[in-house]
Amino acid sequence: MTDSSLIPPFLRQLSASHARLKKAIHTRQLEMWYQPIVRLEDGRVTGAEALVRWPLPDGRLLPPDSFVPFARETELLTSMTEWVVEQIFDDLGGWLHKHPQQYISINVEPDDLQSTALLEHLSQLCQQHHVRPQQIALEMTESSVIDPKTAAPKVACYRKAGFAIYLDDFGSGYANLNYLQAMTFDMLKIDKTLIDPLPGKSLLPQIIALARSLALEPLAEGVETQAQATWLKSHGVKYAQGWLYSKALTSRAFVHWCESRYA
């Protein structure tokens, strides 16, 4: 038997963190929150981005960038993604069925798309909850799609099945135009760092033109002021999300927000 005192502290901490996250996934301790996405023309909700959170005993909610990379490194990502999509349908499957014009976007990792398991799971859940595939969008970050030759056929399978594919956080890292040209996306989500300077000097006119040239609809993330929203609307951006409209909400609060704001 190995003496635990001989195990380096960082390995003990890693093992303990892995066990806590695995338990959180399998005992459904994680939570899904939803940030509304609105149409700039009239401010009406068109859907929401689903965001996973990990509640801590002290009441804090860990954001996904605090634990999703760890899940990826410790081979818990597949289990987490499976839980996420199931929870989204448990939370809002009925709401999506009742409002077929609305959609939910889900953040996915490249590993999620390497097998047909996620595609089959999403298709089954859509059938079970009587939700159209077009009401589910999958978001991929611009830095996550490394090899367009590998990713393009996978992306094409999801789009053929009816699911939309969004390119998320555009402008936050490097922009590989090769995969923008190699793959077909439905939406280009413009990162908050490009929205913050508005209505001052910005590269957004060029990025909007790029999106249009690739038949991509731009969506602005992190909109916090009316001046930003006005600028975006005047430059032809149709959709936005951010604190100007709402922070991320629990499923119940999101439904109430939609009903009370747009009754």
Side-chain angles (χ1 to χ4, degrees):
M1 181 178 296
T2 303
D3 185 349
S4 61
S5 65
L6 298 179
I7 302 175
F10 78 92
L11 286 181
R12 291 201 299 272
Q13 182 178 3
L14 179 63
S15 178
S17 297
H18 178 273
R20 285 196 297 270
L21 182 55
K22 184 176 181 179
K23 181 180 179 181
I25 295 170
H26 290 289
T27 60
R28 307 180 77 85
Q29 294 176 19
L30 302 179
E31 296 180 357
M32 295 307 302
W33 290 58
Y34 303 89
Q35 185 172 38
I37 296 170
V38 305
R39 188 168 56 203
L40 282 168
E41 180 181 4
D42 54 15
R44 295 187 69 86
V45 65
T46 61
E49 178 182 358
L51 300 163
V52 63
R53 299 285 190 263
W54 185 359
L56 298 183
D58 61 8
R60 290 181 297 150
L61 291 172
L62 284 182
D65 56 5
S66 299
F67 57 91
V68 169
F70 180 73
R72 185 190 309 119
E73 294 168 3
T74 55
E75 300 183 348
L76 289 173
L77 188 61
T78 299
S79 297
M80 179 181 294
T81 301
E82 181 178 332
W83 176 87
V84 163
V85 297
E86 289 178 353
Q87 190 61 47
I88 288 169
F89 278 88
D90 285 348
D91 285 347
L92 295 175
W95 182 80
L96 287 170
H97 173 65
K98 184 179 178 181
H99 301 279
Q101 76 282 9
Q102 303 289 337
Y103 74 92
I104 299 296
S105 67
I106 307 170
N107 293 279
V108 296
E109 297 283 325
D111 290 349
D112 294 325
L113 303 179
Q114 295 308 305
S115 72
T116 60
L118 178 59
L119 177 57
E120 293 172 356
H121 196 197
L122 282 169
S123 298
Q124 291 171 358
L125 288 169
C126 282
Q127 292 178 4
Q128 178 183 338
H129 291 268
H130 306 287
V131 171
R132 297 183 302 119
Q134 290 78 7
Q135 292 178 265
I136 301 296
L138 303 178
E139 299 192 13
M140 305 165 63
T141 60
E142 67 160 308
S143 59
S144 68
V145 187
I146 304 301
D147 183 1
K149 292 182 179 179
T150 300
K154 306 293 184 182
V155 169
C157 288
Y158 282 86
R159 297 191 77 252
K160 184 178 180 180
F163 300 102
I165 303 293
Y166 292 3
L167 184 58
D168 191 21
D169 296 336
F170 189 82
S172 63
Y174 64 86
N176 189 331
L177 297 183
N178 288 329
Y179 68 71
L180 271 177
Q181 293 177 324
M183 287 181 286
T184 303
F185 296 95
D186 298 281
M187 188 84 74
L188 186 71
K189 297 192 72 175
I190 302 170
D191 189 69
K192 182 180 184 299
T193 57
L194 295 174
I195 305 299
D196 286 341
L198 297 180
K201 185 176 180 181
S202 171
L203 293 174
L204 274 185
Q206 291 82 0
I207 292 175
I208 294 169
L210 172 64
R212 299 297 187 202
S213 71
L214 296 172
L216 288 169
E217 190 69 53
L219 186 160
E221 295 184 283
V223 178
E224 297 183 350
T225 70
Q226 187 57 54
Q228 292 171 340
T230 300
W231 187 99
L232 290 163
K233 181 180 176 181
S234 69
H235 285 75
V237 177
K238 295 182 180 179
Y239 304 102
Q241 68 185 95
W243 288 6
L244 175 63
Y245 308 103
S246 176
K247 297 182 179 180
L249 304 166
T250 64
S251 59
R252 180 176 296 181
F254 169 70
V255 170
H256 177 73
W257 183 89
C258 294
E259 291 177 348
S260 62
R261 185 179 175 99
Y262 304 117

